[in-house]
C-alpha cells in the first residue's frame, strides 16, 4: 500500500519487491549497508562514502541499521531516475527537486496524495513554513545543512519536535 501511495505502479512494485528479495542475501527481510552498496553497484550509481552514510542514516527511519521494504522504496525514490550523485545540493529551497520537497512534507505528516496534488509553488511555501525559512534564504547559512540527507535529518528532528509540542507521538 505504501508503494502505491509513493507513486509506484503495481508493475514497478512487483519488480522492486523482486529486486529487494534478490538483494536480501541473508534472507532477513531487510537490507544492510553492504546489500544497499551492492544495489548501487548494480545500478551503476557512484556515491561517496560520506554521502552514502548520511543518506542511509536519513532513510533508516527506525535507526535499525537496515532498510525494510518501505525504507527501500524511499531509497529508490530518493535515488531518483538517472541521478548519479546524491550530494547535489542547491543553495536555496527553490532549487530543491520536487521529490525532496515532497519527502519533507511527508516527514511533517502530509499524505502523499495531498502532496502530489499540490502545485510546486505551494509545496515550496509549505516546506518554508515547516522549516521556518524563506524561499530565497541560503539553506547552508540559515539551516546549517550541506546535503539532502542533512536536510531530511533536520526535517525529521523538527517534525518530531512539532509532534511532541502538540502531544503527539513521533
Amino acid at each position: 500500500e505504501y508503494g502505491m501511495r509513493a507513486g509506484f505502479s503495481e508493475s514497478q512494485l512487483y519488480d522492486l519487491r523482486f529486486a529487494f528479495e534478490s538483494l536480501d542475501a541473508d534472507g532477513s527481510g531487510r537490507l544492510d549497508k553492504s546489500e544497499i552498496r551492492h544495489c548501487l553497484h548494480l545500478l551503476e550509481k557512484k556515491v561517496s562514502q560520506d554521502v552514502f552514510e548520511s543518506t542511509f542514516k536519513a532513510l533508516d527511519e527506525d535507526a535499525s541499521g537496515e532498510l525494510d521494504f518501505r525504507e527501500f522504496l524511499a531509497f529508490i525514490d530518493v535515488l531518483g531516475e538517472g541521478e548519479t550523485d546524491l550530494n547535489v545540493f542547491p543553495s536555496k529551497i527553490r532549487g530543491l527537486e520536487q521529490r525532496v520537497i515532497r519527502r519533507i512534507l511527508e516527514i511533517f505528516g502530509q499524505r502523499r496524495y495531498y502532496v502530489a496534488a499540490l502545485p510546486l509553488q505551494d509545496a515550496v511555501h509549505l516546506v518554508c513554513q515547516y522549516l521556518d525559512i524563506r524561499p530565497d534564504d541560503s539553506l547552508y547559512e540559515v539551516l546549517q545543512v550541506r546535503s539532502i540527507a542533512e536536510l531530511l535529518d533536520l526535517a525529521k528532528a523538527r517534525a518530531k519536535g512539532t509532534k511532541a509540542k502538540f502531544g503527539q507521538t513521533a
Side-chain angles (χ1 to χ4, degrees):
E1 182 180 320
Y2 170 80
M4 296 295 269
R5 287 193 323 256
F8 294 105
S9 70
E10 194 171 326
S11 173
Q12 287 172 318
L13 284 173
Y14 177 81
D15 291 343
L16 288 169
R17 174 59 78 177
F18 180 79
F20 180 85
E21 290 173 358
S22 297
L23 290 166
D24 184 16
D26 61 4
S28 66
R30 304 177 67 77
L31 300 180
D32 62 25
K33 289 180 180 180
S34 67
E35 292 164 329
I36 294 294
R37 281 192 185 101
H38 182 68
C39 176
L40 288 172
H41 175 75
L42 292 174
L43 294 171
E44 298 178 359
K45 301 294 179 183
K46 295 178 180 160
V47 178
S48 73
Q49 182 65 24
D50 290 342
V51 172
F52 175 85
E53 291 295 332
S54 61
T55 303
F56 189 94
K57 180 182 174 193
L59 295 175
D60 183 15
E61 294 177 3
D62 60 359
S64 66
E66 299 176 310
L67 302 183
D68 61 22
F69 185 64
R70 183 180 177 277
E71 293 165 332
F72 174 72
L73 291 177
F75 170 82
I76 294 298
D77 191 34
V78 166
L79 188 62
E81 191 173 317
E83 185 176 13
T84 56
D85 184 358
L86 295 178
N87 202 28
V88 174
F89 191 66
S91 62
K92 300 182 186 323
I93 202 98
R94 289 182 196 265
L96 288 172
E97 292 183 27
Q98 189 170 0
R99 65 186 171 77
V100 175
I101 292 169
R102 282 192 334 243
R103 181 75 176 121
I104 292 169
L105 292 175
E106 290 169 8
I107 287 170
F108 279 94
Q110 298 296 330
R111 301 219 181 256
R112 184 167 281 261
Y113 63 86
Y114 170 75
V115 171
L118 273 178
L120 182 57
Q121 183 176 350
D122 293 345
V124 167
H125 180 73
L126 194 53
V127 166
C128 288
Q129 286 181 334
Y130 283 132
L131 297 178
D132 194 27
I133 187 172
R134 292 182 309 242
D136 293 320
D137 284 346
S138 164
L139 291 169
Y140 176 69
E141 289 175 11
V142 176
L143 299 179
Q144 302 295 306
V145 295
R146 295 180 187 224
S147 70
I148 291 171
E150 287 181 11
L151 181 61
L152 295 175
D153 280 344
L154 175 72
K156 287 178 186 177
R158 290 199 178 176
K160 187 180 282 188
T162 301
K163 290 176 182 178
K165 183 178 177 181
F166 293 104
Q168 301 171 345
T169 57

